[in-house]
Every structure is written in C-alpha cells, then in structure tokens.
C-alpha cells in the first residue's frame, strides 16, 4: 500500500518540475528594419543547443518604412531578402541557417524573378524547405511579395 501512495506523489512531483522548465522566448524588433506596428519582427526561441528564429512575413519596406521597387517584383524581392538577412544576422545567424521559407506572391507567373534574387541569398546546393502561395492581395495594394522565414542557429 505504501508503494501505491508513493507513486502518485512521485508522478505529481515530476509533473510540477516539468512545468517549471519553460521555453525561453524573446520577441525582437531589430533597428535595421522598419519598426513594426502591432507585432514583432521575430521570435527567438532557445532550444538548448540552438536558437530558432521565426520571422514574421517581410515585405519590401526599407528601414524608414518606404516601399522599395513599386511594380517591380525583382526589386521588392531583393529588399525582402535584405530584411530577412538583416534580422537573422542581428540574431547571430547567417542566411545559411535558414531552414524554411514561406512565399506569398500576388502573381505566381513572376516566380523566376523571385528565384533569381533568392539564389543570391540562400545556399542553392542545400536550399531550405519552402512553400509558395499565390494571393489576390497583400496588406497594401503596392506590395507584391511577402516572405516568412525560419532559421535554426547552433549555439557556439
């Protein structure tokens, strides 16, 4: 009978200890990109041996919040990847740490322009996983592309 009473106490203690181990999440807004309104540019999650960076969708806004490349998918994509690179680097990583990209395009026929720019920024020998979705519109009429990214940065 004593063994049966000890088991629930041990189980309860284990569960209570496990709940104290919380994941460390830091929300960041690097100064190298336009200040967001109502959201964070990235969540940095401590995984123990690495940090995962989950980036909000990035659009072609420069540091001052001005649109780059009106009506030009290639120029907008260049700015988007520059923003992604800036955020990842400020979090201590490189573009080689990108493991997933999510693309939202208003015109999927312009995918070649996107790929041309993308290939300047990523490891084309081992490209990240990706998803592409064509959308009818993004948050502004003049924004042609939005890209989300996830990076995993090993701790040194």
């Amino acid at each position: 009978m004593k063994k049966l009473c000890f088991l629930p106490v041990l189980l309860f203690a284990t569960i209570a200890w496990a709940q104290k181990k919380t994941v460390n999440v830091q929300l960041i807004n690097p100064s190298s990109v336009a200040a967001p309104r109502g959201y964070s540019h990235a969540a940095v999650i401590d995984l123990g041996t690495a940090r995962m960076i989950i980036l909000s969708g990035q659009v072609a806004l420069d540091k001052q919040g001005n649109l780059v490349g009106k009506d030009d998918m290639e120029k907008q994509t260049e700015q988007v990847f520059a923003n992604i690179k800036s955020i990842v680097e400020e979090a201590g990583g490189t573009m080689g740490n990108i493991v997933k990209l999510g693309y939202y395009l208003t015109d999927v026929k312009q995918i070649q322009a996107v790929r041309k720019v993308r290939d300047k920024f990523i490891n084309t020998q081992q490209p990240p996983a990706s998803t592409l979705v064509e959308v009818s519109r993004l948050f502004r009429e003049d924004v042609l592309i939005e890209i989300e990214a996830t990076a995993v940065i090993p701790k040194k």
Side-chain angles (χ1 to χ4, degrees):
M1 186 68 172
K2 287 184 182 180
K3 288 182 182 179
L4 288 176
C5 290
F6 179 71
L7 189 57
V9 170
L10 180 62
L11 181 61
F12 177 75
T14 303
I15 291 170
W17 179 78
Q19 289 178 348
K20 283 186 178 182
K21 276 187 94 174
T22 58
V23 175
N24 185 10
V25 177
Q26 178 186 12
L27 301 173
I28 63 170
N29 290 305
S31 60
S32 56
V33 291
R37 294 183 183 149
Y39 66 96
S40 295
H41 273 299
V44 180
I45 304 163
D46 187 340
L47 301 175
T49 59
R51 288 176 298 126
M52 180 170 28
I53 316 300
I54 302 172
L55 280 74
S56 294
Q58 295 298 305
V59 296
L61 299 180
D62 65 14
K63 187 177 177 177
Q64 291 73 37
N66 300 312
L67 181 71
V68 173
K70 183 170 173 32
D71 300 323
D72 187 328
M73 182 66 81
E74 191 170 330
K75 285 183 182 173
Q76 286 198 20
T77 304
E78 186 85 33
Q79 182 64 47
V80 170
F81 272 105
N83 291 349
I84 290 170
K85 182 177 189 271
S86 182
I87 294 167
V88 170
E89 287 178 350
E90 194 156 326
T94 69
M95 289 299 284
N97 298 126
I98 299 285
V99 296
K100 175 79 167 76
L101 293 167
Y103 301 85
Y104 301 89
L105 278 69
T106 57
D107 183 3
V108 77
K109 292 178 199 144
Q110 296 189 49
I111 188 62
Q112 284 310 116
V114 174
R115 288 177 178 154
K116 177 181 171 185
V117 173
R118 174 206 60 195
D119 290 352
K120 296 177 193 176
F121 286 88
I122 67 158
N123 177 349
T124 57
Q125 298 304 307
Q126 291 186 308
S130 69
T131 300
L132 170 68
V133 178
E134 183 177 38
V135 295
S136 61
R137 185 169 184 242
L138 290 162
F139 84 107
R140 280 177 32 180
E141 192 77 30
D142 54 356
V143 173
L144 306 175
I145 184 168
E146 183 168 338
I147 303 175
E148 301 174 325
T150 302
V152 176
I153 304 168
K155 290 184 178 174
K156 296 176 180 164

